Amino acid sequence: MNKNLVNKILITIGFLFIYRLLAYVPVPGVDTAVIASFFDSHQSDALGLFNMFSGNAVERLSIISLGIMPYITASIIMELLAATFAPLGQMKKERDGMVKYMQIIRYATIAITLIQAVGVSVGLQSLTGPNGNSAILADHNTFIMLSAVSMLAGTMLLMWIGEQITQSGIGNGISLIIFAGIVSAIPSAIGQSIEMVNTGAMSFLTVLAILALILATVGIIIYVELGERRVPITYAKKTMMQNQNKRVMNYIPIKVNLSGVIPVIFASAILMFPMTVLSSSTNPTIQAIADLLNPNSYFFNFLTFVFVVFFAFFYASITFNAKDISDNLKRQGGFIPGIRTGDATKEFLNMTASNLTVTGALYLGLIATLPFMIIKGMGVPFFFGGTAVLIVVQVALDTMRKIEAQIYMSKYETLSAVGL
C-alpha cells in the first residue's frame, strides 16, 4: 500500500481516537452519577438522539456534549445566505473570499455553541438524582460560566479535528466524527438489547425483526447509493484520434442521490438546535413545543422528512453544475447523441438531474423516518432510526471511494514515473 495513503489513514485514526478521548472528559462541576441515572430513563426521546450523535458523550456530560452540530448549523445558515445573497455567494467562489466565508462560519459556531451551552446549563440546575442530590456541584452562576467555556472549547476542538482530517487525512472530517460517534454507541446498544432479552423486556423475535430491518435498510442504502444514470457521450472523430492512447469516458455518471449524507446531517442539526434550547425551560407552552419536537413524536419525523427532502434539492442544485459540464463537453469536442451542444445540453442535464433528485430526496426522507416508525410500532423502548444507519453506510462508502481513488492515483503516478 502507498506510504502516503497509510499516513493519511493513520492521521485519520489518530484524530478520531483523540475525539473519543474527549468524550470521557466531563464538564467541571457536575455529578456524573446523577447524569447517568437520568439518562437511563431517556433513551427514546430527544436526549437519546443527542446521545447517539455524540457517541454517548451527552450521558457523561462531556465537554463535547454538543458535538459538531453547532458547526453544522452555522454552515447551513451560511449556505442558505450564500444562495440568497449574491455578494455572499460570490465571496464563497473566490479563494480569498472563501477564507473570510469560513471565518464567519467559525464565529457563528461560537455564538450557537454558547447559546446551546447556556441552555443546557440552566436546564441542569433543576436536575436531581434518585436520592435528591443535585447534578450540579458548584454555584449555579459559576457552573454556567464553566460549562459554557468548556463546551465551547470542546466544540472548537471538534471543529479543528474535523478540518485536520479533511485536509490531511482520508474522507470528510465532519462526517467521520459523526460516524465515529454513532459507531461507538453500537456496543452499548447491543449490550442493552441482550439485557432486555434476558429480563424479558423484549422478546428474541423482536431482536431478530430489528436485525432484519437494519440489514434491509443497509441493503437499500447501498443499492441506491451505487445507482447512477449514465448519460452517453459521443466524441468527434478528430478528438478520438487525439486521445487514442488515453481513456476517454463515454458517459456522464449522474448519481441517484446527488447530495449524499449532507441533507440528513443538516436536518438533524436544524432540529437539534431548538430542542437543546427549549428543553431548559419550565414554561408549559415552551415545554409543549419541546414535546412536539421530541424524536419519539410523529411530528418530529414529519419535520425530519420535510427538511431532508428540502436540503436534498438545495444541496443537489449546488453540487451539480450542468453549465460547467456542458461547457467542458463542448471544449473537448463531445456531445450527447440527439442533443445540441450548449444550452440544450445544459437543459437536458438539468432535467435529468432534477428527475433523479426527486427519487433521491424521497429515498433519503423515507430512510431517515420509516425505520424509526416501524421500530416505534413494535414497541421497542430505545431510540433507533434510519438516520444513524444512513450516515454510517454513506460515510463508509464515501471513505472507501476516497481510499480507492488514492490507490489508483498512486498506481498512476508510479506508471508515469517509469514512463508507461
Side-chain angles (χ1 to χ4, degrees):
M1 187 180 288
N2 181 266
K3 184 178 179 181
N4 185 43
L5 176 60
V6 173
N7 289 337
K8 287 186 175 183
I9 293 174
L10 291 176
I11 288 170
T12 302
I13 294 173
F15 276 117
L16 291 178
F17 179 71
I18 294 172
Y19 156 64
R20 291 309 305 152
L21 287 180
L22 291 174
Y24 291 87
V25 180
V27 170
V30 296
D31 188 334
T32 53
V34 174
I35 302 294
S37 64
F38 172 75
F39 266 88
D40 287 340
S41 58
H42 289 80
Q43 295 297 322
S44 61
D45 57 16
L47 293 175
L49 181 62
F50 291 147
N51 205 33
M52 178 189 71
F53 276 102
S54 68
N56 293 334
V58 176
E59 68 179 24
R60 304 183 188 99
L61 204 66
S62 160
I63 61 172
I64 60 167
S65 296
L66 297 179
I68 201 66
M69 287 305 174
Y71 176 76
I72 296 173
T73 304
S75 300
I76 296 167
I77 294 170
M78 288 299 292
E79 289 283 1
L80 293 173
L81 290 175
T84 306
F85 299 103
L88 195 59
Q90 187 62 33
M91 177 195 292
K92 185 182 174 183
K93 294 178 182 178
E94 298 169 354
R95 172 181 272 183
D96 293 338
M98 189 61 182
V99 176
K100 296 179 181 177
Y101 181 87
M102 293 304 298
Q103 199 65 25
I104 295 172
I105 290 179
R106 293 187 184 99
Y107 288 136
T109 301
I110 293 173
I112 293 171
T113 303
L114 288 174
I115 292 171
Q116 289 186 295
V118 171
V120 170
S121 303
V122 172
L124 287 173
Q125 292 182 6
S126 59
L127 181 63
T128 56
N131 299 323
N133 49 326
S134 175
I136 300 174
L137 302 177
D139 174 72
H140 288 177
N141 292 330
T142 304
F143 174 72
I144 290 175
M145 184 184 69
L146 286 174
S147 62
V149 171
S150 58
M151 286 184 183
L152 176 61
T155 298
M156 299 308 288
L157 270 172
L158 283 189
M159 184 177 67
W160 179 79
I161 288 172
E163 291 177 351
Q164 293 305 306
I165 292 174
T166 301
Q167 293 172 8
S168 306
I170 287 287
N172 183 287
I174 302 302
S175 298
L176 281 171
I177 286 174
I178 299 174
F179 169 89
I182 294 172
V183 170
S184 67
I186 291 177
S188 62
I190 293 174
Q192 182 184 3
S193 300
I194 293 173
E195 182 181 352
M196 291 174 69
V197 171
N198 291 336
T199 57
M202 187 167 61
S203 69
F204 183 68
L205 289 177
T206 302
V207 175
L208 291 179
I210 293 172
L211 287 175
L213 179 62
I214 293 173
L215 291 175
T217 304
V218 170
I220 292 170
I221 292 170
I222 293 174
Y223 178 78
V224 176
E225 290 303 315
L226 297 179
E228 61 185 20
R229 165 78 186 278
R230 296 183 175 183
V231 179
I233 303 172
T234 300
Y235 287 92
K237 186 177 293 185
K238 181 180 178 181
T239 305
M240 292 300 295
M241 291 295 293
Q242 291 172 346
N243 294 280
Q244 58 183 341
N245 295 323
K246 301 178 184 178
R247 180 180 180 272
V248 180
M249 185 177 291
N250 59 354
Y251 63 87
I252 300 172
I254 304 178
K255 290 173 61 64
V256 175
N257 179 23
L258 284 167
S259 51
V261 74
I262 297 299
V264 178
I265 295 176
F266 276 16
S268 299
I270 286 289
L271 292 171
M272 279 185 180
F273 179 71
M275 282 191 295
T276 309
V277 176
L278 295 175
S279 60
S280 63
S281 175
T282 56
N283 184 286
T285 303
I286 295 178
Q287 280 295 313
I289 297 173
D291 291 339
L292 280 175
L293 295 177
N294 191 311
N296 204 28
S297 69
Y298 291 105
F299 183 70
F300 175 88
N301 284 274
F302 170 74
L303 286 180
T304 300
F305 181 87
V306 171
F307 277 120
V308 167
V309 170
F310 168 76
F311 283 119
F313 278 98
F314 174 75
Y315 204 74
S317 67
I318 296 175
T319 56
F320 187 81
N321 194 322
K323 187 178 186 306
D324 286 351
I325 297 173
S326 175
D327 292 343
N328 289 335
L329 274 178
K330 193 172 183 179
R331 282 195 296 268
Q332 295 171 6
F335 60 93
I336 301 171
I339 307 295
R340 291 184 179 183
T341 57
D343 289 341
T345 297
K346 183 188 75 172
E347 291 173 5
F348 175 81
L349 291 173
N350 271 330
M351 182 181 67
T352 303
S354 296
N355 292 336
L356 289 174
T357 302
V358 171
T359 303
L362 291 175
Y363 141 77
L364 284 175
L366 290 173
I367 287 293
T369 56
L370 193 57
F372 171 75
M373 304 304 287
I374 296 173
I375 289 291
K376 183 178 179 181
M378 294 167 60
V380 176
F382 59 82
F383 184 86
F384 169 80
T387 298
V389 181
L390 184 63
I391 291 173
V392 168
V393 175
Q394 281 198 352
V395 173
L397 288 174
D398 182 63
T399 306
M400 288 303 299
R401 289 192 193 102
K402 285 183 169 63
I403 291 174
E404 288 177 359
Q406 287 286 330
I407 292 173
Y408 288 135
M409 183 62 70
S410 64
K411 288 181 179 179
Y412 176 78
E413 290 173 351
T414 302
L415 291 174
S416 298
V418 298
L420 294 178

